Amino acid sequence: MLAGRTLDTFGLGYFYLGLSDEFKTLTQPIFPQQDEQGFEAFYNFAVTPWCRLTYDFQVANPSTVAYDTVILNGLRLQMIF
């Protein structure tokens, strides 16, 4: 993605979780449900060939109707031996 950064990687993803109508009807009195969906993007920086720093961004619309959309940021350091 960036010139000269051949060991870097990146990715995009989308998910959709369709719940059955039977399940939605069953949970309606307690916790109303809906289909769930979300998006994820990450960039993996190769600090060295054996050390990688990854930034991850996720947005998800949870299946439980009472919960708001969730936005998550993450950071991971990986050392490969």
Side-chain angles (χ1 to χ4, degrees):
M1 189 164 160
L2 300 175
R5 306 277 316 164
T6 57
L7 296 177
D8 288 4
T9 57
F10 71 97
L12 300 172
Y14 170 79
F15 75 89
Y16 175 82
L17 174 64
L19 301 175
S20 70
D21 291 335
E22 292 82 9
F23 181 76
K24 290 176 187 176
T25 302
L26 180 67
T27 60
Q28 182 67 32
I30 302 168
F31 290 110
Q33 299 292 305
Q34 62 187 357
D35 294 342
E36 184 173 339
Q37 60 184 340
F39 168 80
E40 177 179 12
F42 75 88
Y43 195 90
N44 189 348
F45 298 94
V47 179
T48 68
W50 52 268
C51 182
R52 309 229 166 107
L53 182 64
T54 303
Y55 171 72
D56 184 64
F57 176 76
Q58 298 178 22
V59 178
N61 184 15
S63 63
T64 303
V65 174
Y67 297 150
D68 293 331
T69 299
V70 177
I71 299 174
L72 299 168
N73 288 293
L75 199 58
R76 177 183 72 183
L77 181 65
Q78 178 185 26
M79 299 170 108
I80 304 166
F81 294 97

